[in-house]
Amino acid sequence: MTEKLSDTARKTTLQPLLENGWSMVEGRDAITKSYTFGDFVEAMGFMTRAALWAEKWNHHPEWFNVYNRVEVTLSTHDVGGLSALDTKLARKFDGLVA
């Protein structure tokens, strides 16, 4: 069963993401990041790769795409906030663009 991140987990797993460009969403227990690519094809390639991992882990992002930009928001609706699935997916998404 997925659980909301504990205070300890927030310090150890969430803090590195915040230092790597993720930010907290105002008014929600969620994180967000905007990725910018060279063009639309690169942005869609990222979304396709990310979608495969999201499906594999059965944890799907909220996201928005305009041309070369992809905005991602992660939160676990079942627990009403951030869970280990969100930090895991955020790290994976960052790795896909590294």
Side-chain angles (χ1 to χ4, degrees):
M1 174 87 189
T2 302
E3 297 178 355
K4 210 169 184 180
L5 283 181
S6 68
D7 289 341
T8 302
R10 285 174 185 273
K11 290 176 187 166
T12 59
T13 63
L14 188 57
Q15 190 57 40
L17 294 171
L18 297 175
E19 293 169 2
N20 194 38
W22 288 86
S23 60
M24 297 299 299
V25 175
E26 188 173 334
R28 284 182 68 189
D29 191 24
I31 55 175
T32 189
K33 186 171 183 176
S34 182
Y35 295 97
T36 302
F37 299 93
D39 58 26
F40 179 72
V41 172
E42 286 182 23
M44 289 305 297
F46 165 77
M47 290 180 79
T48 301
R49 292 186 306 277
L52 293 172
W53 285 100
E55 186 65 18
K56 179 178 180 172
W57 292 337
N58 193 30
H59 191 61
H60 305 95
E62 298 171 25
W63 55 12
F64 179 76
N65 163 251
V66 174
Y67 184 60
N68 68 336
R69 192 186 64 209
V70 178
E71 295 175 17
V72 178
T73 300
L74 298 172
S75 184
T76 302
H77 301 284
D78 292 346
V79 301
L82 290 168
S83 75
L85 285 171
D86 299 304
T87 58
K88 180 179 177 180
L89 203 55
R91 286 191 306 273
K92 176 54 76 176
F93 286 2
D94 284 348
L96 293 174
V97 298

